Amino acid sequence: VEGDRKRGIVLLGDHARRALPEEYGSLGLPANEFDRHIAYDIGVETVTRELAATLGVPAVLANFSRLLIDPNRGEDDPTLIRQLYDGTIVPGNYPLAPEERERRLDSFYRPYHDAVGAMIASVAAASGRAPFIFSVHSFPPVMQGHIRPWHVGVLWDLDDRVARPLIDLLARDPTLVVGDNEPYD
């Protein structure tokens, strides 16, 4: 998604879509499984595009389902290509030959990460500083049998200069339960 790189912000939508390339069919799953969070982060594509338009900044969206390969994992993560997700067995991912794993890395995962890296580099060059990277995700109220009371979660690591004011601002709304590194850390 194009935007003004001089603004110094990059939006990411790692799980924006539920699509699979035709050659993978449905990975052996019924169509209704692709309406669930296991296939993509519901609403993220729309939210990311609207944020990009409102802020006038660029965004990078993954155009494939996380059931094919999860771009929000490291290459060595055992959940990179899920065989079981929130109680659903993914037949097209088990068994998975090493050659197929490498094919998915080369065809989907690495090109996405290359696009993200190129966008970050172009924003850094245009703005003259390291960009603020804002990754948009969604989460269901129940996952793997665990109730998640949060309406919004702000995840951050070492630098809370943006996270802390955002958490504080959101927490002012008495109708919201705000997660500080929840539901993930």
Side-chain angles (χ1 to χ4, degrees):
V1 176
E2 285 303 318
D4 184 357
R5 286 165 168 74
K6 291 179 184 173
R7 306 225 39 207
I9 300 173
V10 176
L11 302 177
L12 301 178
D14 296 334
H15 303 139
R17 297 225 175 128
R18 60 185 172 182
L20 290 174
E22 192 173 310
E23 66 196 270
Y24 288 96
S26 66
L27 293 173
L29 294 169
N32 67 329
E33 292 291 351
F34 289 88
D35 295 334
R36 296 181 54 216
H37 182 77
I38 65 169
Y40 73 121
D41 280 1
I42 298 165
V44 159
E45 181 173 10
T46 301
V47 168
T48 305
R49 287 182 182 279
E50 288 183 13
L51 274 173
T54 298
L55 298 173
V57 299
V60 180
L61 305 170
N63 63 358
F64 52 89
S65 172
R66 73 166 126 226
L67 290 175
L68 182 68
I69 190 165
D70 193 331
N72 193 36
R73 302 287 184 265
E75 287 191 25
D76 61 345
D77 191 310
T79 65
L80 179 67
I81 300 174
R82 298 263 189 155
Q83 298 171 0
L84 175 68
Y85 196 3
D86 197 23
T88 297
I89 295 170
V90 185
N93 290 346
Y94 184 79
L96 192 70
E99 299 80 21
E100 176 58 24
R101 180 184 183 283
E102 195 61 32
R103 181 171 176 260
R104 292 185 195 186
L105 283 164
D106 286 342
S107 300
F108 305 99
Y109 182 94
R110 292 178 183 134
Y112 174 72
H113 283 271
D114 290 347
V116 169
M119 181 64 78
I120 290 169
S122 73
V123 169
S127 68
R129 63 185 185 272
F132 172 64
I133 301 167
F134 191 92
S135 186
V136 182
H137 292 266
S138 68
F139 57 89
V142 177
M143 184 72 166
Q144 297 177 345
H146 300 286
I147 295 172
R148 298 158 136 190
W150 310 281
H151 298 108
V152 62
V154 178
L155 311 182
W156 59 282
D157 192 13
L158 302 175
D159 186 346
D160 72 348
R161 288 178 293 170
V162 173
R164 184 59 44 215
L166 180 57
I167 291 167
D168 293 345
L169 176 70
L170 291 167
R172 286 188 214 157
D173 183 335
T175 66
L176 293 178
V177 176
V178 181
D180 181 347
N181 277 325
E182 296 289 354
Y184 307 106
D185 187 3

